[in-house]
Amino acid sequence: MPALSPNRRASRVLGAALAALVAVSLTACGTDPVAEQYLSGDGKGYISADGAVEEIPVADRGEPVVFSGVTENGDEFDSADIAGDVTVVNFWYAGCAPCRVEAGDLEDVWQEYGGEGVSFVGINIYDQADTARSFAKTYGVTYPSIMDVDSGAAKLAFASATPIQATPTTLVLDKQGRVAARIIGQIDGTSILSTLVKDALAESA
């Protein structure tokens, strides 16, 4: 067999490397349970334009999540103070581009349902309070955020209920404080989150 030219040898090596990379990528995608549900046609999970959305059946929900912390304005926040509410929890930080894009949509849903047995709280995983206050002023956010960068305690409180592996991540907690739905990545407008909140409100206490 004639020897391959250096260029052809390089092409074969590059082709093999790309094939290996694709194989690894497909394997990694297969480990995401929401993606697996989507690919299998399971109605519990689906992929939105910007991320994965999952509703969790009542029977499959874990224990209520108990969390607390200090907000950007120095106020103490405790989940016990909003017991019985449907609660939207948004994990974010100011330098996160999707967090900036979705801020107005989150605020719109908060304005729609605030006062109807619905609470909103952000969990800022990276910034100091002055940065969070500046963000809230710039983007018109009126609900509080727990400043979690120093302790990580609020994020840790959710670890046993759901993985928080992407920022932003938005959770909807039912009236018992259990994770009823999650949106991984930027919310796609207001309709999906609004529907998830309405579904949680319609459940019996």
Side-chain angles (χ1 to χ4, degrees):
M1 178 181 296
L4 292 175
S5 69
N7 286 341
R8 292 185 66 187
R9 284 199 300 270
S11 296
R12 285 195 174 184
V13 171
L14 179 59
L18 288 174
L21 179 60
V22 169
V24 170
S25 298
L26 290 174
T27 300
C29 290
T31 63
D32 188 306
V34 180
E36 289 175 356
Q37 288 173 7
Y38 172 72
L39 293 171
S40 67
D42 192 323
K44 291 185 294 183
Y46 57 96
I47 306 301
S48 75
D50 293 292
V53 181
E54 180 184 20
E55 290 190 82
I56 302 170
V58 174
D60 295 339
R61 295 174 193 169
E63 295 298 315
V65 181
V66 177
F67 63 104
S68 61
V70 178
T71 72
E72 72 272 43
N73 294 316
D75 300 320
E76 295 285 343
F77 180 95
D78 194 307
S79 57
D81 297 335
I82 55 173
D85 283 1
V86 169
T87 303
V88 175
V89 181
N90 176 251
F91 291 82
W92 71 283
Y93 62 93
C96 158
C99 300
R100 297 194 294 269
V101 174
E102 72 175 7
D105 292 330
L106 288 163
E107 179 66 20
D108 285 346
V109 179
W110 163 235
Q111 291 297 329
E112 181 179 1
Y113 289 100
E116 297 184 21
V118 176
S119 293
F120 268 61
V121 60
I123 296 180
N124 187 301
I125 63 171
Y126 186 80
D127 302 317
Q128 297 298 326
D130 56 347
T131 302
R133 287 194 298 269
S134 177
F135 182 98
K137 182 178 180 180
T138 299
Y139 293 97
V141 177
T142 61
Y143 55 85
S145 282
I146 293 171
M147 307 309 300
D148 204 42
V149 62
D150 292 329
S151 70
K155 183 177 180 180
L156 182 61
F158 285 88
S160 62
T162 185
I164 308 297
Q165 297 173 335
T167 307
T169 289
T170 301
L171 306 177
V172 178
L173 310 185
D174 64 17
K175 296 171 186 177
Q176 287 74 43
R178 303 170 300 183
V179 177
R182 62 175 178 155
I183 302 173
I184 304 170
Q186 177 188 323
I187 68 170
D188 184 20
T190 61
S191 60
I192 291 175
L193 181 58
S194 180
T195 297
L196 295 174
V197 169
K198 283 191 291 187
D199 289 348
L201 279 171
E203 295 175 357
S204 58

